[in-house]
């Protein structure tokens, strides 16, 4: 990266450095399911997942893909009217969990636009067969392709509790296969999962940056949502929600061990107020981000200070 707007390399830093201008990431619901929901590998989905998956904030998820795209752009332009280039973000559920012919038909509806410069595809490590990898490689010859791999944790016991239904080695193999084709990889991790200490959360990051060739990372706070299987764990006392100060501390500890060339796509997430059980402090997203900035400044730290 040629510049950092903060003490870490933000997603916006990466986009401006790569494209020379602000780029919109346009979220799309491609109409896919997940293999741990439909019985392919398990039933019920991840225990933290709502019935709408990760697309609770998508403006018009039931519309055809081109209509979704246009409505999202219209919504985003209310805040940033001057942006003219976009990345199509297939966000909701597992966006490679279908035959490659279906992926091609749905993805092409979004990427065959002159104003689209890239595609981000949210998926799972166990949903990348060879023919899908070949299609992604073809797309990568045409535009920037990021694959966002939901891992959430490197600890198998935690993974089993949240019903991920795949292991860490599957993730490592998926990254290796994507990188062999030159495709950029962003890994998702969740802070605050069942029984994981702050030290374990930091170790999750240490493992993925040491064991896998990733170019981006998303760090999420666990949001406890109404109507999820995890809600029952919370009411039984099997799950403790993170405190604000602990979250800020662990994020800064994680940033210090992430090599600076890895872009930080997210440091916390968004949750609909009407569905959120907690932590309620997470609704004040800018207060969280400002506190992270302040703590990094207090430490005199920048991303990668303690990278191996």
């Amino acid at each position: 990266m040629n510049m950092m707007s903060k003490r870490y390399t933000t997603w916006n830093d990466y986009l401006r450095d790569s494209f020379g201008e602000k780029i919109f990431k346009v979220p799309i619901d491609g109409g896919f399911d997940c293999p741990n929901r439909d019985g392919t590998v398990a039933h019920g989905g991840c225990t933290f997942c709502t019935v709408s998956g990760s697309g609770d904030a998508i403006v018009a998820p039931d519309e055809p893909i081109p209509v979704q795209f246009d409505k999202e752009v219209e919504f985003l332009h209310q805040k940033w009217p001057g942006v003219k280039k976009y990345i199509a973000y297939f966000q909701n559920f597992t966006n490679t969990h279908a035959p490659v012919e279906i992926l091609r038909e749905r993805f092409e509806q979004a990427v065959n636009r002159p104003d689209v410069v890239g595609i981000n595809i949210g998926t799972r490590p166990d949903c990348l067969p060879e023919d899908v990898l070949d299609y992604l490689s073809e797309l990568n010859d045409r535009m920037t392709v990021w694959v966002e791999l939901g891992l959430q944790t490197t600890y198998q016991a935690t993974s089993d509790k949240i019903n991920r239904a795949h292991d860490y080695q599957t993730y490592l193999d998926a990254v290796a296969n994507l990188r062999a084709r030159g495709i950029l990889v962003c890994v998702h991790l969740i802070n605050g999962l069942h029984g994981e200490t702050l030290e374990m959360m930091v170790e999750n990051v240490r493992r993925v940056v040491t064991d896998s060739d990733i170019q981006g990372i998303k760090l999420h706070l666990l949001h406890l949502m109404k109507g999820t299987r995890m809600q029952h764990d919370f009411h039984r006392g099997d799950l403790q929600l993170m405190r604000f100060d602990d979250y800020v501390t662990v994020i800064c500890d994680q940033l210090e061990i992430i090599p600076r060339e890895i872009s930080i796509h997210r440091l916390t997430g968004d949750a609909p107020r009407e569905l959120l059980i907690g932590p309620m402090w997470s609704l004040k997203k800018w207060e969280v981000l400002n506190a992270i900035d302040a703590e990094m400044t207090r430490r005199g730290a920048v991303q990668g200070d303690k990278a191996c």
Side-chain angles (χ1 to χ4, degrees), residues 18-90:
S18 299
F19 298 102
E21 60 185 297
K22 186 170 181 62
I23 306 291
F24 273 162
K25 190 175 177 183
V26 181
I28 293 170
D29 187 333
F32 298 101
D33 205 339
C34 288
N36 64 341
R37 286 167 44 97
D38 65 10
T40 303
V41 296
H43 292 278
C46 298
T47 62
F48 56 78
C49 194
T50 66
V51 293
S52 57
S54 58
D56 293 301
I58 292 177
V59 172
D62 298 324
E63 297 281 5
I65 288 171
V67 176
Q68 285 189 54
F69 196 104
D70 289 338
K71 288 189 174 183
E72 288 288 346
V73 167
E74 181 182 359
F75 175 75
L76 292 167
H77 276 172
Q78 294 174 22
K79 187 172 183 181
W80 295 285
V83 178
K84 299 178 181 178
K85 299 290 179 66
Y86 311 102
I87 291 175
Y89 178 26
F90 283 80

